[in-house]
Amino acid sequence: MKLTDIKKVLEEAFEKNEKLEEKYNICDGEKENIKSFFFPQTEKYLEFKRTDKGTEFFPVNNGLVNDSDGTGSDETDGAKEKINVVVRAKPCSVEALEVFDYVFLSEPVDPLYKEKREKTIIISSSCRELKNSCFCTSVGIDPYKPVGGDVRIDDSTGGVVGVTPKGKDFLEEIFEADESKKSEIQKLEVDQESDLEKGNVKTSTEREAEKDLANRLKDKLDNMQDSKLWDELSLRCLGCGVCTYYCPSCHCFDVCDYYKKDTGSRYRAWDSCMFSEFTSMAGGHNPRPTKKDRIKNRFYHKFNYLPKLYEKLGCVGCGKCLVHCPVGISPLTLLREMGEIEDEDKSISTS
């Protein structure tokens, strides 16, 4: 069995070692939207209780909750506090996580996100299934080159490489009782310097190319404020917000209170900039009152505002918005209008 079958390898290791099974939770990074592991659909900040002496507040231990099912569960029993191991996270998913890192780990740091990020192990790999809806290459992502993560699957050699200290420690722990696997990993393991030589991490040249693309699209969008494209898209858009929920890099949320009698909780929940109430203010003012304003803002956020802040695009070309949008709107429309792509093949190479 090749170590590229990492999920099966981990499951076998866990079966042999109960401590590993109690400590880790294997998550399928190919099938699931991994942002849910770090940014659950709902997440409590605190609980409160009104007493005769006033209102008392209690911190909530959200733990490491596998909330990918969207239940918003905040149970803190041992079974729910396992460390998530996200297996085979695709390049587009890892790139989206980089957007989250910029947003939630910049000052002021988001402690809920930071805790989950630090205690989750990402095993990245190349993409094994390019779909017709994918357009990652149009936004500068190589689907065959795994980048980032704590452990990386090297499909060319059939092995795995511990990249970060956390990833290397994880591999050591998993295979410490299996000398054959351990020696295999040690043979394959390389340091960051030789990793760069193999092209498995972003080089300074690739970083510059990423910035150049982000800045080019930003500049083009600066000149599209009055484009008729926004009128055309607003006529088609239903304002359902499904694009933002499936998007791996969308991160808008609302903060709400839930209470019943004298107890309650404060929590955050996913929100969408495509909803008319998203920017409603006290007194009734809304700076984005029309669908045209909102869809324009969504694309500007991806291709203009984030590049201005971080020199990075907010779209990773996964195509989930295109698949789930009931009227077929996606960034492809904008990229064609910009002249970045010319035809329906979206510059994707499937070879």
Side-chain angles (χ1 to χ4, degrees), residues 16-228:
K16 296 176 183 175
N17 190 332
E18 289 184 3
K19 290 183 180 178
L20 293 176
E21 191 168 18
E22 291 172 358
K23 184 176 180 180
Y24 296 106
N25 177 48
I26 301 175
C27 313
D28 192 336
E30 279 189 308
K31 295 181 178 177
E32 300 176 60
N33 187 344
I34 69 170
K35 81 173 180 180
S36 296
F37 297 121
F38 309 95
F39 182 55
Q41 289 186 21
T42 59
E43 193 169 24
K44 279 185 187 177
Y45 283 120
L46 55 84
E47 293 177 337
F48 55 84
K49 181 180 180 182
R50 295 190 182 93
T51 68
D52 294 339
K53 297 179 182 178
T55 303
E56 296 180 4
F57 298 94
F58 308 95
V60 175
N61 178 13
N62 280 288
L64 293 174
V65 182
N66 178 11
D67 200 21
S68 60
D69 59 357
T71 60
S73 170
D74 63 344
E75 296 178 42
T76 57
D77 58 90
K80 287 289 186 179
E81 292 180 359
K82 292 181 178 180
I83 296 175
N84 282 327
V85 180
V86 181
V87 179
R88 276 203 169 276
K90 295 183 289 187
C92 59
S93 298
V94 177
E95 287 285 347
L97 200 56
E98 198 170 308
V99 175
F100 271 70
D101 287 349
Y102 278 122
V103 173
F104 288 113
L105 297 182
S106 299
E107 292 294 340
V109 174
D110 185 291
L112 297 179
Y113 176 81
K114 183 172 183 285
E115 181 185 20
K116 292 181 179 62
R117 189 73 172 88
E118 289 177 346
K119 295 182 178 177
T120 299
I121 294 167
I122 304 288
I123 301 179
S124 62
S125 71
S126 57
C127 186
R128 296 193 293 187
E129 185 185 9
L130 279 177
K131 300 176 181 176
N132 289 334
S133 54
C134 295
F135 58 97
C136 56
T137 55
S138 298
V139 290
I141 295 174
D142 184 346
Y144 305 114
K145 182 179 180 182
V147 173
D150 302 299
V151 176
R152 191 169 304 136
I153 297 175
D154 188 336
D155 289 298
S156 62
T157 62
V160 295
V161 176
V163 180
T164 65
K166 184 169 61 175
K168 291 180 178 180
D169 290 345
F170 172 70
L171 290 180
E172 284 285 333
E173 184 181 4
I174 293 297
F175 299 112
E176 63 180 356
D178 190 334
E179 288 300 324
S180 62
K181 288 282 191 309
K182 191 175 179 179
S183 61
E184 192 174 351
I185 286 171
Q186 287 172 338
K187 188 172 62 179
L188 292 165
E189 208 157 55
V190 293
D191 58 24
Q192 288 289 339
E193 186 177 353
S194 54
D195 216 5
L196 277 169
E197 291 172 358
K198 290 180 67 178
N200 283 339
V201 296
K202 287 180 182 175
T203 64
S204 57
T205 303
E206 289 168 330
R207 283 287 182 193
E208 286 304 313
E210 183 181 59
K211 290 179 183 178
D212 287 346
L213 176 62
N215 287 325
R216 186 174 77 236
L217 297 186
K218 169 182 69 70
D219 292 342
K220 285 188 176 181
L221 213 50
D222 275 338
N223 298 316
M224 291 181 64
Q225 289 282 354
D226 300 320
S227 171
K228 292 181 180 178

Side-chain angles (χ1 to χ4, degrees), residues 116-346:
K116 292 181 179 62
R117 189 73 172 88
E118 289 177 346
K119 295 182 178 177
T120 299
I121 294 167
I122 304 288
I123 301 179
S124 62
S125 71
S126 57
C127 186
R128 296 193 293 187
E129 185 185 9
L130 279 177
K131 300 176 181 176
N132 289 334
S133 54
C134 295
F135 58 97
C136 56
T137 55
S138 298
V139 290
I141 295 174
D142 184 346
Y144 305 114
K145 182 179 180 182
V147 173
D150 302 299
V151 176
R152 191 169 304 136
I153 297 175
D154 188 336
D155 289 298
S156 62
T157 62
V160 295
V161 176
V163 180
T164 65
K166 184 169 61 175
K168 291 180 178 180
D169 290 345
F170 172 70
L171 290 180
E172 284 285 333
E173 184 181 4
I174 293 297
F175 299 112
E176 63 180 356
D178 190 334
E179 288 300 324
S180 62
K181 288 282 191 309
K182 191 175 179 179
S183 61
E184 192 174 351
I185 286 171
Q186 287 172 338
K187 188 172 62 179
L188 292 165
E189 208 157 55
V190 293
D191 58 24
Q192 288 289 339
E193 186 177 353
S194 54
D195 216 5
L196 277 169
E197 291 172 358
K198 290 180 67 178
N200 283 339
V201 296
K202 287 180 182 175
T203 64
S204 57
T205 303
E206 289 168 330
R207 283 287 182 193
E208 286 304 313
E210 183 181 59
K211 290 179 183 178
D212 287 346
L213 176 62
N215 287 325
R216 186 174 77 236
L217 297 186
K218 169 182 69 70
D219 292 342
K220 285 188 176 181
L221 213 50
D222 275 338
N223 298 316
M224 291 181 64
Q225 289 282 354
D226 300 320
S227 171
K228 292 181 180 178
L229 176 68
W230 312 123
D231 294 299
E232 296 168 4
L233 292 180
S234 65
L235 289 174
R236 292 167 53 193
C237 179
L238 304 179
C240 65
V242 70
C243 51
T244 57
Y245 288 145
Y246 279 98
C247 175
S249 65
C250 276
H251 48 268
C252 291
F253 63 88
D254 193 11
V255 177
C256 314
D257 286 342
Y258 169 81
Y259 58 92
K260 187 176 183 181
K261 292 186 178 179
D262 293 327
T263 62
S265 60
R266 173 160 294 184
Y267 64 96
R268 68 179 173 195
W270 288 5
D271 204 346
S272 172
C273 61
M274 296 305 296
F275 294 158
S276 58
E277 298 86 1
F278 183 72
T279 47
S280 289
M281 300 179 182
H285 175 64
N286 190 337
R288 294 198 288 269
T290 67
K291 269 194 297 188
K292 176 183 175 181
D293 297 321
R294 295 190 285 275
I295 198 166
K296 181 180 174 183
N297 170 76
R298 173 168 162 73
F299 284 126
Y300 264 75
H301 192 201
K302 299 286 186 192
F303 296 97
N304 187 273
Y305 303 152
L306 283 174
K308 282 179 179 174
L309 284 171
Y310 308 122
E311 293 187 303
K312 183 175 182 62
L313 294 174
C315 175
V316 296
C318 65
K320 289 186 172 67
C321 55
L322 176 60
V323 171
H324 295 284
C325 175
V327 294
I329 294 176
S330 82
L332 284 174
T333 310
L334 177 64
L335 293 172
R336 288 194 186 95
E337 187 76 11
M338 288 176 167
E340 290 293 326
I341 53 178
E342 296 179 353
D343 49 38
E344 296 292 332
D345 70 14
K346 294 159 289 190

